Amino acid sequence: MAGELILLDFRLSPFARRVKIALAEKGIDYEYKKENLSSLHPLLLKMNPVNKKIPVLIHNGKPICEFLVIVQYIDEVWNHKSPLLPCDPYKCAQARFWADYIDKKIFSNGSSLVFTETQKAAKNELIECYKVLEAEVGEKTYFRGETFGFVDIALIPFYSWFYFYETCGNLSMEEECPKIVAWGKRCMEKESVSNALPDQYKVFDYFMRLAKNLVLHQ
Ligand code: GS8
């Protein structure tokens, strides 16, 4: 029994996508509430008063915040199937290292592609980081081998950013990182992933609207 489970979600948030994928992998039913991104939203303020960010998982009225903490919680509470983090402490530390790398490098450089001043540097660093991840996945099916897991969950939301990278950064992900593209396609064959990811054109439109607003407010 999952008890009462609510996810405070925002369709385009890569962090919330990860939580949705983790819950789907575990086969857990939950309710979700789409919050707008305003850090002043009353429910968000109440449930995540410290960071005021999405996602928040509310389990029997108690909030759990931050993607890494949430996914670990899900893995510990619903440990009957699909382990997401490795049991071995060293392998677990490695998986958390890569998730942290993805947040620091892939999320930030990807988002910086919308700023014209930082676009070139962000593009170069982004490709460099994807090449590091490409070497890490190598010939494996998923990051930890034959089974889909935590690092896959951390990175796959950015697969729906590829169209935005390619259009905004004038690059080809297939040419730059063919193994990452092949890995992304493999992950998309999983229902837990394809049902959770937003349409790539919606991601692109979101960033274009963001860029327009930035110019208007300069
Ligand atoms: C990041 C969450 C985040 O940035 C995590 O969960 O791991 N470290 C956190 N959430 C964004 C939406 S995704 O871009 C958010 O809620 N932003 C609202 C705001 O900044 O006001």
Side-chain angles (χ1 to χ4, degrees):
M1 264 299 275
E4 192 202 35
L5 202 58
I6 301 169
L7 174 65
L8 299 191
D9 188 14
F10 164 60
R11 180 77 186 144
L12 297 180
S13 159
F15 303 97
R17 298 308 88 214
R18 293 162 169 178
V19 176
K20 274 185 90 77
I21 297 168
L23 289 166
E25 281 292 306
K26 295 284 184 181
I28 306 293
D29 287 333
Y30 59 96
E31 194 190 318
Y32 71 98
K33 290 190 199 285
K34 290 187 205 155
E35 300 304 322
N36 63 33
L37 266 189
S38 163
S39 49
L40 296 175
H41 193 286
L43 186 60
L44 190 56
L45 264 182
K46 184 172 170 218
M47 291 297 163
N48 191 357
V50 178
N51 290 335
K52 307 178 186 75
K53 284 186 195 281
I54 280 166
V56 180
L57 186 70
I58 310 169
H59 190 197
N60 294 325
K62 291 182 283 189
I64 304 117
C65 306
E66 289 291 304
F67 131 79
L68 181 65
V69 181
I70 301 173
V71 173
Q72 226 168 334
Y73 180 83
I74 292 171
D75 210 22
E76 281 167 14
V77 175
W78 294 282
N79 56 7
H80 63 292
K81 69 179 269 205
S82 312
L84 304 174
L85 277 145
C87 295
D88 175 78
Y90 183 72
K91 287 188 182 152
C92 184
Q94 288 301 101
R96 293 169 59 132
F97 168 84
W98 285 116
D100 181 63
Y101 179 85
I102 291 162
D103 278 2
K104 287 191 180 129
K105 303 286 190 174
I106 300 294
F107 177 67
S108 56
N109 283 307
S111 313
S112 299
L113 278 180
V114 285
F115 306 110
T116 9
E117 322 79 68
T118 50
Q119 200 174 64
K120 196 162 173 250
K123 172 182 161 178
N124 292 341
E125 207 183 332
L126 185 68
I127 295 298
E128 230 173 84
C129 297
Y130 268 110
K131 284 187 191 295
V132 171
L133 290 165
E134 165 126 329
E136 181 59 24
V137 76
E139 303 303 325
K140 293 180 289 206
T141 309
Y142 300 112
F143 274 86
R144 69 173 169 191
E146 283 309 304
T147 46
F148 181 80
F150 187 67
V151 183
D152 304 298
I153 291 180
L155 186 60
I156 196 60
F158 298 101
Y159 184 72
S160 51
W161 291 31
F162 284 12
Y163 175 74
F164 156 65
Y165 295 161
E166 294 187 330
T167 315
C168 212
N170 191 25
L171 59 97
S172 158
M173 286 300 284
E174 181 71 54
E175 275 170 29
E176 300 285 354
C177 308
K179 287 179 187 160
I180 285 287
V181 171
W183 160 86
K185 286 184 184 156
R186 274 194 299 279
C187 292
M188 286 296 275
E189 285 166 16
K190 294 176 73 64
E191 255 184 50
S192 60
V193 173
S194 56
N195 286 343
L197 293 202
D199 182 276
Q200 57 177 352
Y201 301 113
K202 291 209 169 121
V203 173
F204 176 74
D205 285 349
Y206 170 77
F207 278 113
M208 289 308 103
R209 279 201 310 275
L210 193 72
K212 213 165 148 190
N213 283 345
L214 289 171
V215 171
L216 287 178
H217 290 100
Q218 261 173 8

